[in-house]
Amino acid sequence: MRQTFDEATDPSFGRKHLPLLRARMAEQGLDGFLIPHEDEHQNEYLPEANERLAWISGFTGSAGAGAVLTDRAAVFADGRYTVQVRAQVDADQFEILALEDNGLARWLEGAPKGSVIGYDPRLHSPDALAGLRAAAARAGAELKPVQVNPLDLAWGDDRPAQPMAPVVPHEDRHAGESAASKRARIGKAIADKGADAAVLTAPSSIAWLFNVRGGDVIRSPLPLAQAVVQADGSASLFVDPRKVTNELPGWLGDAVSVQSPEALDGALEGLKGRRVLIDPSLSSAWWFDRLAAAGATVVRGADPCTLPRAVKNAVEIEGSRQAHIRDGAALTRFLHWVDTVAQQTLPDERQVAEALEGFREQTGALKDLSFDTIAGAGPNGALPHYKPVTRTIRRMERGSLLLVDGGGQYLDGTTDVTRTMAVGDPSADQRRMFTLVLKGHIAMAVVRFPAGTNGMQLDALARLPLWMQGFDYDHGTGHGVGSYLGVHEGPQRIAKWGTTQALLPGMIVSNEPGYYRENHWGIRIETLQVVTEAQPIAGGERPMLGFEQLTLAPLDRKLIDVDLLTADERAYVDAYHATVLARVGPLLDGDVLDWLTAQCAPL
């Protein structure tokens, strides 16, 4: 569970590994090969065995791609990782380019005419592959699927083994609905789509539908498996027998057949002549090719588990409340430590992250972190997705800021919270920028909105105070969060771009505007909130949805410029702090409770 701070890669990987890959490419008659970050399950966070992009290039970011030709290569990363990719990748071996705006496809348009560029169909979604295939055609090149991934062959015996964590029941008292009930619901959804069956490949859908959890994916309790679900609600679950615990078959029940992955091919053949629903954004091109070869009719559509999973039931929402109270007590002990001990000792980022993890472990309920803690001191806080590693670790410095973003995995909920704290006395400029971020955060916390509203329509509210002063931030304002599942969960999000999915009661989203001054410090304020049922507003005509705040952790009042807040904004901060004290205070005592009481006093 413990977070590590050693880098698993270094820039020498390119020089060492490119020749190995190119030799395997030559054996297969390939002039090039494409390397997405995603694995066979389209995971965001990967098992070590599936970190193919990191092995070839050294780049460990969660969004990227690689392309290798016989005489040149490139790595693509999005804007969150601009600094990281240049530190991790040897620029003499790889051209470093932007992933945004179809960066890989545009690069392919310059491929040599007549070249044959391989790809592993298990790693690319069909929609992404269509764009890449069109780009290659414009260059006069050919994209060719491979039966065996040449990078995997080049990695050889040094490649870590695939994870084999046991698959265990996730009890109904946490799930709030039995797996049988879920399967009946999903079976009906499959039939409503005009399909006879659905293929599920997303680990989060497997975990949610069958009320099971695993440990194959770092920081997420997910099992790597696949399933075929019939319209009558019966299902076949394909999972390595080494992961199957004695209790699992009985937990799943007679309507679920547990089979080994080797049986999957025969199961797909058995879908001949049937209409099969599969999600082109979550399942790789291999599945579509294989179903077509089996004689099935492919029905393209959203994974039927995605939306039901995102809309939490009453038990899951109450579980999240309890997880956040417990987590809030740990956070408060941490924030007290930062404001007292750490102000004197000025620990480094590793010590800060370990302290927070230690306070969470003291709850006795922590199953894992929900992601590696971001602890950014001073300039490192200006990197939104910074992760402390030995080479980059800084100490806290007086006159600067400390940004800490972390979360926990508990059986009853998943947490994710960011707080920014002053080290020493903050400057007027730091207080001004923090308060502008806070104003946007408050706007997103108190907004009321009609049914049908999506996150793109709300995003500007969090940015407006910054925009009005000529500032902005380059990440989304909010992402969905699972229930003892992934800390990043769709289909909902709050951002300038992305989904048109309406926000529905029961969805959990983050609220995390920020501001980042390069080479100086960063500011982010993040809480999780759940969409509430539509309620009438006095004097209004239409009921409006809203948000209930789940995260319970005080703000650093030293950073709040009260004069910049309106009366309503001050009232919100006071009410939020009163709630924090009322719910978290009973779990604290002594100096920590005294500190929290002072922090939560009215502005």
Side-chain angles (χ1 to χ4, degrees):
M1 182 193 299
R2 277 284 179 177
Q3 182 170 335
T4 61
F5 300 87
D6 296 327
E7 291 190 88
T9 69
D10 65 64
S12 71
F13 274 28
R15 190 176 299 276
K16 290 188 294 189
H17 297 160
L18 279 171
L20 302 177
L21 174 57
R22 284 175 172 141
R24 293 297 188 171
M25 287 163 44
E27 292 172 1
Q28 296 187 15
L30 301 176
D31 303 301
F33 189 67
L34 303 181
I35 308 158
H37 172 267
E38 292 78 18
D39 68 356
E40 292 86 339
H41 302 268
Q42 302 294 297
N43 284 314
E44 176 185 15
Y45 300 117
L46 306 181
E48 286 185 17
N50 296 347
E51 288 276 13
R52 295 177 175 91
L53 182 60
W55 180 82
I56 194 65
S57 69
F59 175 57
T60 60
S62 64
V68 177
L69 299 177
T70 55
D71 59 347
R72 58 192 172 97
V75 169
F76 304 82
D78 75 13
R80 294 173 295 170
Y81 296 109
T82 301
V83 175
Q84 179 178 328
V85 69
R86 296 192 180 279
Q88 291 185 317
V89 175
D90 184 351
D92 291 334
Q93 302 295 318
F94 292 91
E95 190 177 3
I96 298 173
L97 300 169
L99 184 66
E100 294 91 344
D101 299 324
N102 297 314
L104 177 57
R106 285 189 286 108
W107 187 87
L108 266 178
E109 291 176 353
K113 187 174 183 178
S115 58
V116 178
I117 299 172
Y119 70 91
D120 186 338
R122 295 176 182 268
L123 308 182
H124 297 264
S125 74
D127 290 349
L129 200 56
L132 297 176
R133 191 175 281 119
R138 287 191 290 272
E142 175 193 355
L143 280 195
K144 178 182 178 181
V146 299
Q147 295 297 316
V148 181
N149 190 313
L151 188 149
D152 293 351
L153 294 173
W155 201 340
D157 294 339
D158 292 334
R159 186 182 180 192
Q162 288 290 339
M164 287 295 156
V167 181
V168 298
H170 185 60
E171 297 180 12
D172 292 0
R173 65 191 179 100
H174 297 308
E177 181 182 6
S178 71
S181 172
K182 289 180 179 179
R183 285 189 285 101
R185 275 208 289 154
I186 297 307
K188 182 178 184 302
I190 293 168
D192 289 345
K193 288 282 189 179
D196 304 304
V199 171
L200 303 181
T201 65
S204 53
S205 292
I206 303 290
W208 177 84
L209 178 62
F210 296 104
N211 280 352
V212 296
R213 296 297 186 266
D216 290 337
V217 180
I218 187 171
R219 307 305 184 203
S220 302
L222 299 175
L224 297 186
Q226 297 87 21
V228 176
V229 183
Q230 308 293 334
D232 65 3
S234 64
S236 298
L237 178 64
F238 301 90
V239 59
D240 193 295
R242 290 170 289 181
K243 301 180 189 178
V244 178
T245 55
N246 291 335
E247 60 190 333
L248 186 63
W251 172 258
L252 294 171
D254 294 339
V256 178
S257 168
V258 181
Q259 302 181 46
S260 74
E262 287 72 25
L264 184 57
D265 215 46
L268 296 180
E269 288 289 343
L271 295 172
K272 180 178 180 179
R274 307 186 70 203
R275 294 175 57 82
V276 181
L277 177 66
I278 186 166
D279 191 331
S281 67
L282 295 177
S283 299
S284 69
W286 181 89
W287 293 95
F288 291 78
D289 297 342
R290 187 66 190 81
L291 285 167
T297 299
V298 171
V299 178
R300 286 176 167 237
D303 179 326
C305 299
T306 299
L307 193 56
R309 184 180 72 241
V311 178
K312 309 298 184 284
N313 60 45
V315 170
E316 290 173 315
I317 293 170
E318 181 57 27
S320 186
R321 291 189 187 108
Q322 295 304 315
H324 278 89
I325 292 172
R326 184 187 315 118
D327 197 63
L331 280 163
T332 299
R333 291 187 175 96
F334 168 73
L335 294 171
H336 169 258
W337 175 82
V338 170
D339 199 40
T340 55
V341 174
Q343 296 284 333
Q344 302 303 315
T345 60
L346 299 179
D348 65 27
E349 293 163 345
R350 174 174 184 155
Q351 293 168 317
V352 169
E354 289 177 337
L356 177 54
E357 187 169 353
F359 286 119
R360 284 194 163 110
E361 286 177 337
Q362 288 173 19
T363 66
L366 184 71
K367 306 300 287 186
D368 197 356
L369 301 179
S370 57
F371 57 98
D372 282 341
T373 300
I374 297 168
N380 287 343
L383 306 174
H385 286 259
Y386 169 76
K387 175 191 170 183
V389 291
T390 302
R391 174 179 49 81
T392 64
I393 284 174
R394 300 178 63 96
R395 301 190 75 84
M396 291 170 52
E397 298 177 14
R398 291 188 178 88
S400 192
L401 302 178
L402 174 69
L403 185 156
V404 179
D405 183 352
Q409 292 282 11
Y410 304 94
L411 286 173
D412 47 3
T414 299
T415 71
D416 178 5
V417 54
T418 308
R419 289 294 182 263
T420 305
M421 295 143 280
V423 186
D425 295 325
S427 67
D429 185 39
Q430 289 168 344
R431 296 177 71 239
R432 171 184 176 238
M433 297 312 302
F434 180 91
T435 308
L436 290 177
V437 173
L438 176 59
K439 289 169 73 72
H441 180 88
I442 294 171
M444 188 61 69
V446 303
V447 64
R448 304 294 296 275
F449 52 95
T453 301
N454 64 53
M456 284 196 294
Q457 294 167 315
L458 296 182
D459 180 76
L461 295 174
R463 299 178 191 270
L464 186 60
L466 289 164
W467 283 355
M468 295 300 291
Q469 301 298 321
F471 304 105
D472 200 3
Y473 51 94
D474 294 325
H475 57 74
T477 298
H479 56 83
V481 178
S483 179
Y484 190 44
L485 283 171
V487 74
H488 294 154
E489 179 179 89
Q492 74 276 23
R493 65 180 308 210
I494 302 172
K496 295 178 185 178
W497 60 91
T499 180
T500 57
Q501 169 63 52
L503 294 170
L504 302 174
M507 285 181 168
I508 295 175
V509 293
S510 66
N511 170 10
E512 50 181 306
Y515 170 72
Y516 308 92
R517 183 164 295 172
E518 190 173 352
N519 299 321
H520 288 82
W521 34 260
I523 294 165
R524 185 161 64 252
I525 304 170
E526 178 186 16
T527 65
L528 299 190
Q529 47 194 34
V530 61
V531 182
T532 56
E533 296 282 353
Q535 297 290 337
I537 297 175
E541 295 180 345
R542 300 181 185 183
M544 294 286 167
L545 290 82
F547 291 116
E548 173 193 338
Q549 302 305 298
L550 294 172
T551 300
L552 299 168
L555 303 164
D556 188 344
R557 57 191 299 133
K558 296 192 299 295
L559 283 169
I560 301 175
D561 186 339
V562 178
D563 292 338
L564 292 181
L565 297 179
T566 66
D568 286 345
E569 289 167 341
R570 291 195 296 272
Y572 170 83
V573 173
D574 288 346
Y576 175 74
H577 276 156
T579 301
V580 171
L581 183 60
R583 295 184 182 173
V584 174
L587 301 182
L588 305 171
D589 56 22
D591 292 345
V592 178
L593 179 57
D594 292 343
W595 178 86
L596 180 62
T597 302
Q599 287 294 308
C600 293
L603 293 177

